[in-house]
């Protein structure tokens, strides 16, 4: 983006939790030996999170869109390296943007922080993502300034997608070091640990989706009878995050 204010200020310092990369790989049925041979910081992203991120950025290619990456940073002391696990990608539904610019509004931040507090209290914002429709994937001067100012830990991530060219770039740390394919691994979480907004067994028909039942009833605590922005956003968030119904159902 050329001009931006995609910033996030944590009230307390987020510290990476000690964890074993080998254990994480075996818990998630990933080829641990192979993965551990790749040096440096690794990013793991839940399959649904990367799919919803791409779906959201492709839904409107007339302008830039973006959001935040939510998950947890870890530090493997034995291997002396960080790895980051992205559990969900929250879209900035009320952002302002053009083909070369993106700005998150106060409403965007209110929605994002409310969602994290209620549904992902154990997680934090570990990075951000945005689109460059037709411009290619790179970190612009403004993108770099944003990264340096607000996402400057060695494990902070930035994802840039050109949804027209179908290209994705991953960048890491204050200096936006490029993460290649070997350093970005998608995985599927065991079902029991996925934070659910709607009950996974809950059947949501297209009629119910349109009227906002299901997801809204579970997530819009108390205020779901009125057509508030929060309810709308929750519904849209569920749509873009693929929560409550699978990708085939919503096509
Ligand atoms: Zn940009």
């Amino acid at each position: 983006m050329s001009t931006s204010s995609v910033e996030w200020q944590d009230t307390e310092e987020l510290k990476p939790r000690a964890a074993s990369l080998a254990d994480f790989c075996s818990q998630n049925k990933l080829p641990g030996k192979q993965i551990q041979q790749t040096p440096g910081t690794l990013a793991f992203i839940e399959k649904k999170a990367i799919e919803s991120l791409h779906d959201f950025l492709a839904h409107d290619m007339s302008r830039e869109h973006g959001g935040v990456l939510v998950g947890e940073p870890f530090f493997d002391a034995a291997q002396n390296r960080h790895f980051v696990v992205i559990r969900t990608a929250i879209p900035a539904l009320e952002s302002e943007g053009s083909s070369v610019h993106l700005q998150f509004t106060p409403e965007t931040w209110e929605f994002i922080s409310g969602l994290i507090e209620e549904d992902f209290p154990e997680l934090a914002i570990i990075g951000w993502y945005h689109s460059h429709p037709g411009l290619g994937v790179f970190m612009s001067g403004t993108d770099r300034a944003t990264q340096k100012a607000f996402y400057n830990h060695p494990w902070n991530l930035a994802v840039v997608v050109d949804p027209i060219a179908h290209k994705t770039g991953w960048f890491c740390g204050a200096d936006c070091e490029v993460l290649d394919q070997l350093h970005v691994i998608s995985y599927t979480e065991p079902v029991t640990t996925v934070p659910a907004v709607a009950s996974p067994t809950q059947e949501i028909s297209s009629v119910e989706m349109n009227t906002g039942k299901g997801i809204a009833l579970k997530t819009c605590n108390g205020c779901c009878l009125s057509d508030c922005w929060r309810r709308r956003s929750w519904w849209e968030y569920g749509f873009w995050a693929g929560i409550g119904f699978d990708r085939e159902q919503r096509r």
Side-chain angles (χ1 to χ4, degrees), residues 1-218:
M1 74 191 64
S2 54
T3 55
S4 76
S5 142
V6 183
E7 60 204 52
W8 175 257
Q9 285 166 302
D10 266 331
T11 45
E12 46 187 283
E13 182 84 355
L14 178 63
K15 295 235 163 56
R17 196 147 58 91
S20 151
L21 177 60
D23 288 353
F24 176 82
C25 290
S26 74
Q27 277 157 18
N28 292 285
K29 301 190 167 53
L30 290 164
K33 276 200 181 122
Q34 194 186 319
I35 287 169
Q36 286 177 79
Q37 282 168 6
T38 305
T41 301
L42 299 174
F44 295 88
I45 182 161
E46 220 283 330
K47 275 203 177 90
K48 273 194 178 145
I50 190 72
E51 283 170 0
S52 69
L53 179 157
H54 282 298
D55 282 356
F56 176 63
L57 295 180
H59 89 284
D60 173 14
M61 297 192 276
S62 68
R63 52 156 280 195
E64 290 192 5
H65 280 280
V68 294
L69 305 168
V70 174
E72 214 179 340
F74 294 100
F75 184 71
D76 184 322
Q79 294 205 10
N80 191 30
R81 64 150 112 189
H82 291 100
F83 63 100
V84 190
V85 177
I86 300 163
R87 303 265 299 275
T88 189
I90 301 180
L93 297 173
E94 321 247 343
S95 69
E96 289 163 3
S98 71
S99 59
V100 292
H101 135 266
L102 177 68
Q103 184 159 8
F104 288 9
T105 60
E107 289 75 24
T108 304
W109 284 121
E110 198 188 323
F111 170 68
I112 288 171
S113 53
L115 186 64
I116 293 173
E117 216 169 279
E118 286 177 36
D119 280 348
F120 309 102
E122 76 286 13
L123 304 180
I125 293 175
I126 49 84
W128 60 301
Y129 68 94
H130 72 288
S131 60
H132 283 177
L135 295 175
V137 295
F138 60 94
M139 292 291 275
S140 72
T142 310
D143 294 340
R144 286 176 180 275
T146 299
Q147 184 81 358
K148 204 154 211 144
F150 304 106
Y151 303 93
N152 50 24
H153 295 291
W155 40 263
N156 272 142
L157 301 171
V159 177
V160 180
V161 176
D162 181 342
I164 294 173
H166 300 287
K167 292 210 162 116
T168 304
W170 286 74
F171 306 89
C172 181
D175 295 325
C176 307
E177 201 180 303
V178 174
L179 289 186
D180 65 16
Q181 287 178 14
L182 286 175
H183 291 81
V184 180
I185 299 136
S186 70
Y187 75 102
T188 307
E189 275 182 9
V191 175
T192 48
T193 64
V194 174
V197 170
S199 159
T201 55
Q202 191 175 1
E203 293 278 340
I204 300 173
S205 72
S206 57
V207 176
E208 283 173 325
M209 277 156 52
N210 289 338
T211 56
K213 287 181 195 166
I215 287 169
L217 282 175
K218 165 70 173 72

